[in-house]
Amino acid sequence: MPANGQLNVVDVQTSVEDIHMSSGSDSAGLSEEDEEFAQRFGETKFGAIKSAKMTSEIVDEKGQRRYQSQPNRTHENFLRDCVNELLEKAIFSGTDKTNKVLEWRNPEDLSTLLDLELNNDGVSDTQLLDYIRQTIKYSVKTGHPYFVNQLFSTVDPYALAGQWTTDALNPSVYTYEVAPVFTLMEEVVLRELRKIVGFPNGDGDGIFAPGGSIANGYAISCARYKNMPDVKTKGLHAMPRLVLFTSEDAHYSIQKLASFMGIGANNVYSIRTDECGKMQMDHLESEILRAKCEGGHPFMVSATAGTTVLGAFDPLTDIASLCEKYQLWFHVDAAWGGGALVSPKYRKLLVGIERADSVTWNPHKLLAAPQQCSTFLTRHPDVLKQCHSCNASYLFQKDKFYDTKYDTGDKHIQCGRRADVFKFWLMWKAKGTLGLQKHTETVFQMAEFFTEELRQRSDFEMVSIPECTNVCFWYLPPSLRNCPRDDEFWAKLHRVAPKIKERMMKEGSMMITYQPLRQKPNFFRLVLQNSSLEKSDMLHIINKIAQLGEDL
């Protein structure tokens, strides 16, 4: 390899005549487009590439053709070095609580530090490894114990091994013939999840979806089809004005997917919540009646089991009864709170979910599987296929030599699809259902401990009493502790959380999110799903926030 680390370009110049002769066709010469391409791009800084029809080969110091995608033993050292870097820097150092959560740089500074531009010439393995190191260094370590910023975190070692396995195999889970293990595995895992939800015998259907938002979109799609099957062929123009209902604290995906599917954001009726964040039943029923009076066609209610901010659980039993009364599809977005179902102690938060028509449940959230791992579950065994199948003959042939009921891909709106099931299955195998239960109960217990500690301090104030492992609170700096609760007080308090967040990120010590909620000014929201956290960590987080804000 040259001292500058660049790859060699071996120029095997082939004339137009040679190409013409080897092709055996009078029309095989360069076309006008080819000649134009050669004139525009034929000269490089090496002066080597003369035409789009040439047979130049980019090779490394061992003479290997680097443009080829097939791995061989010459890649072994590079791949082993990559794995070692990932294990050391991203996995073990990145999850060590004595290290930083992130190495903060402003966007403009980071752009100058990283070589992000794409060039004509390839780079060496040494340089590629350095790019990996830089990527790890400046990325947020979401597996760090003090990354409590989102509804996901941690690095589960068993699930990570599963994810590496599927990345190495690179399957697409749409037919049994190309993904035999994963198609069978999906059916087993989805049935077990339906049993845990409470669907009789685990009957029904389900799919893995690319995130909870899309899973909620499947609920809207299935509910609409079940109510009006002609929508699949005739479209919305042949339908009445469809209306669905969800909490004002529901995930934004309900409105976004309703808009995406042509129902319209204005036809998502927002239901008021009480001070704990639960949907108010009297308002829900009055809105159903209002929609009917206005000529709308109510077809669905989407309840939430574990709202994004407060972690509230809607009254599922009452909503189920109201849906039965008005013949509406009952969906439960349990993307976040669904993990509580594995615990006999905490599944009481979701009483009534067994009556749902469909459920969104994301194991990558409370159960801490890796991103992404989202499921859509329904008690109706055929609705997914009836609603979404197109029977493409080049993929879902009916005359295959095996039972094509295992070709499950036509239930999805996707074609190509990752094998998200394996990482979750392997993690579940490693820990057992009792291990998932212990994990879930541990994070709930830490949330309860954290809450109790805050309530005993004068410099913190609770926004609400948590039901899930979201803990929402204000930090009151010394300058605000004895002030009257007037408009000026709330305006100043609104600026506290953003300033503390800035300080913690710049020093890299922690990441915890904040947000306002209706009339409430910015408050912190601790999100717990890392079962390695202990009481000492809860105290550390509290004290760190107080330290960062004591001069405000």
Side-chain angles (χ1 to χ4, degrees), residues 303-346:
T304 310
T307 57
T308 303
V309 178
L310 297 180
F313 291 78
D314 283 334
L316 303 183
T317 297
D318 293 340
I319 296 172
S321 297
L322 207 58
C323 286
E324 290 173 3
K325 178 179 179 180
Y326 292 103
Q327 296 183 315
L328 307 178
W329 182 284
F330 176 32
H331 175 65
V332 179
D333 177 3
W336 172 228
L341 289 167
V342 302
S343 166
K345 180 178 181 181
Y346 293 101

Side-chain angles (χ1 to χ4, degrees), residues 450 453-454 457 460 538-546:
F450 189 91
E453 288 297 310
L454 291 186
R457 296 181 59 138
F460 288 86
M538 301 297 98
L539 297 174
H540 171 81
I541 292 171
I542 294 170
N543 292 331
K544 172 57 71 173
I545 291 172

Side-chain angles (χ1 to χ4, degrees), residues 445-462:
Q445 289 162 9
M446 288 302 101
E448 291 162 1
F449 175 81
F450 189 91
T451 300
E452 190 55 36
E453 288 297 310
L454 291 186
R455 296 177 72 177
Q456 294 178 21
R457 296 181 59 138
S458 61
D459 51 347
F460 288 86
E461 187 172 312
M462 299 299 299

Side-chain angles (χ1 to χ4, degrees), residues 41-60:
F41 303 104
E43 296 298 327
T44 69
K45 64 182 178 179
F46 293 103
I49 300 177
K50 302 299 182 183
S51 163
K53 295 294 187 181
M54 59 181 285
T55 58
S56 296
E57 297 173 355
I58 299 177
V59 300
D60 62 16

Side-chain angles (χ1 to χ4, degrees), residues 182-476:
F182 302 123
T183 52
L184 296 178
M185 190 178 287
E186 281 192 344
E187 295 308 302
V188 171
V189 171
L190 292 167
R191 175 173 288 275
E192 193 62 31
L193 291 177
R194 291 194 298 269
K195 287 180 181 177
I196 294 173
V197 166
F199 295 163
N201 302 315
D203 291 342
D205 202 358
I207 54 177
F208 279 79
S213 293
I214 303 301
N216 286 336
Y218 275 110
I220 298 171
S221 179
C222 290
R224 183 176 63 177
Y225 175 84
K226 191 74 172 178
N227 194 276
M228 293 183 169
D230 283 350
V231 72
K232 182 176 180 180
T233 54
K234 296 181 179 179
L236 287 174
H237 75 280
M239 302 293 111
R241 181 172 66 88
L242 300 174
V243 180
L244 66 90
F245 309 86
T246 196
S247 153
E248 63 181 338
D249 286 352
H251 193 263
Y252 67 84
S253 60
I254 301 298
Q255 185 178 94
K256 179 172 285 192
L257 269 296
S259 176
F260 179 79
M261 295 168 63
I263 293 171
N266 289 344
N267 293 315
V268 178
Y269 284 27
S270 182
I271 307 304
R272 290 194 295 266
T273 57
D274 62 20
E275 61 182 12
C276 298
K278 298 175 181 291
M279 196 186 299
Q280 294 184 7
M281 295 306 301
D282 56 346
H283 189 233
L284 173 59
E285 185 163 22
S286 69
E287 286 295 272
I288 293 172
L289 295 174
R290 179 171 75 89
K292 286 176 171 286
C293 289
E294 293 173 347
H297 184 89
F299 75 104
M300 173 185 178
V301 176
S302 179
T304 310
T307 57
T308 303
V309 178
L310 297 180
F313 291 78
D314 283 334
L316 303 183
T317 297
D318 293 340
I319 296 172
S321 297
L322 207 58
C323 286
E324 290 173 3
K325 178 179 179 180
Y326 292 103
Q327 296 183 315
L328 307 178
W329 182 284
F330 176 32
H331 175 65
V332 179
D333 177 3
W336 172 228
L341 289 167
V342 302
S343 166
K345 180 178 181 181
Y346 293 101
R347 71 168 291 129
K348 62 185 179 182
L349 294 167
L350 296 101
V351 170
I353 195 172
E354 70 282 355
R355 297 170 63 183
D357 291 287
S358 60
V359 173
T360 291
W361 181 358
N362 289 4
H364 74 237
K365 292 189 174 178
L366 199 53
L367 295 183
Q371 289 269 29
Q372 62 194 26
C373 190
S374 304
T375 64
F376 171 76
L377 311 168
T378 177
R379 65 168 58 253
H380 303 285
D382 300 318
V383 68
L384 278 165
K385 182 178 180 180
Q386 293 169 350
C387 183
H388 301 123
S389 63
C390 288
N391 298 306
S393 59
Y394 54 81
L395 190 58
F396 303 111
Q397 304 94 332
K398 301 304 181 185
D399 55 355
K400 293 181 179 179
F401 62 92
Y402 60 86
D403 189 345
T404 57
K405 74 178 184 182
Y406 296 106
D407 290 354
T408 56
D410 216 12
K411 297 186 294 187
H412 297 255
I413 57 173
Q414 295 170 267
C415 182
R417 192 165 58 84
R418 291 175 56 88
D420 289 327
V421 64
F422 186 66
K423 56 197 171 191
F424 182 44
W425 177 88
L426 197 67
M427 184 181 87
W428 199 337
K429 275 286 193 180
K431 301 179 179 184
T433 305
L434 290 178
L436 298 181
Q437 173 188 331
K438 180 62 177 176
H439 159 84
T440 301
E441 292 178 352
T442 297
V443 294
F444 267 94
Q445 289 162 9
M446 288 302 101
E448 291 162 1
F449 175 81
F450 189 91
T451 300
E452 190 55 36
E453 288 297 310
L454 291 186
R455 296 177 72 177
Q456 294 178 21
R457 296 181 59 138
S458 61
D459 51 347
F460 288 86
E461 187 172 312
M462 299 299 299
V463 174
S464 64
I465 302 302
E467 285 189 291
C468 200
T469 66
N470 322 39
V471 185
C472 299
F473 58 92
W474 288 289
Y475 169 71
L476 303 178

